Amino acid sequence: MEYKLQRLEPTVTIDNHSQETCPKCKQVQKRYFICVCLLCVFFAVINLMVIVFVLGRSNDRNDSDIVKQLHALQARVQDLEEISSKSLSVTNEAHHKPESLKNEVFHTSTLTEMLFESRVKRNADKRKKPKPNKQRHKSCCKRKLTGLQVVGCQDEHRPNENLSGTFHKFEYADWFFNQPHKAKEKQFELNFPNGKLTVKQSGLYLLYSQITLKGNGTHGYHVIRNDKSPILACYSNNMMLHDEDKTSCFTMGMVKLDKGDTIEIRHISKAGIRAVFTSNASFFGLIKVGVFNKKGVVFAV
């Protein structure tokens, strides 16, 4: 007996329209939706509880800090009250002391004041005492050279015509050679061939010169800076003198000199000049008396 296998096919077909109209499906969907809503509400409540718990703990901490500060202030107030009460008690005891104790306190205070005044006077006397002579001597020795003098080195001097009547037979004074070599180089430099003196430090100088001239007629000379216009001049009229007679012409003034300036003495004529050029008859020199700051104000050396 042969049996044929037959394929079983569903008798009921479910489509979208049947699902929408099925009452069981609608109930399942409603239950699912309600469960989801309940879960959301549950999680929201849990989050709110966590937030409230955290805020409550922070408020508790703040309250505890405030309480601690209040306790500290109360303790401080109590300490101040104890100190004030002690001071009042001490003052009251001092008022109620016998007169003998008061006199002892007065005597001790006067003694301490007298000792303090004596110490102050001693310190003032020590400050007023002058420094020892040794220190003064050292400070004097530390001063640098601030002057120069050059003198004539010939009995009779006749300037060369090619130098335009410039007196050039000069040499350093004897005392200048005793100065340190470095000091001479830093202050001045004399050019022996042409008689020009170079200043190596700017400042305010007292410039003086004397030339002893021979012969009659109008004589004189100029003190010239940097081969330009004269800064000092000296004139003499010797019309009544003979050829071998002598006359000294002296001039002096305050001049401002810069570093590198040159000083020379030049006769008013270029020929027929005769001068006595011994060290005590003809000479010129510089003395530094002040320095200038950036604003042009002079200060004493």
Side-chain angles (χ1 to χ4, degrees), residues 26-124:
K26 288 182 178 181
Q27 289 180 359
V28 171
Q29 289 178 357
K30 285 181 181 180
R31 291 175 183 174
Y32 180 74
F33 180 73
I34 290 168
C35 291
V36 171
C37 291
L38 290 172
L39 288 172
C40 292
V41 171
F42 178 73
F43 285 117
V45 171
I46 291 172
N47 289 329
L48 288 172
M49 291 175 68
V50 170
I51 292 169
V52 171
F53 178 73
V54 172
L55 292 174
R57 290 195 66 182
S58 63
N59 291 327
D60 292 337
R61 289 177 182 175
N62 293 329
D63 293 338
S64 63
D65 293 336
I66 293 169
V67 171
K68 288 180 181 178
Q69 290 178 1
L70 289 172
H71 287 304
L73 289 172
Q74 289 178 357
R76 183 62 179 169
V77 169
Q78 290 177 359
D79 294 336
L80 292 173
E81 288 178 353
E82 290 178 357
I83 292 167
S84 62
S85 63
K86 288 180 180 179
S87 61
L88 289 172
S89 63
V90 170
T91 52
N92 292 326
E93 289 177 359
H95 285 297
H96 293 293
K97 280 183 179 180
E99 293 182 356
S100 60
L101 293 175
K102 290 183 180 180
N103 293 327
E104 288 179 0
V105 172
F106 176 74
H107 288 302
T108 54
S109 63
T110 54
L111 287 172
T112 53
E113 290 177 358
M114 291 174 64
L115 290 172
F116 179 74
E117 289 178 357
S118 63
R119 288 178 183 176
V120 171
K121 288 181 180 179
R122 287 176 186 175
N123 293 329

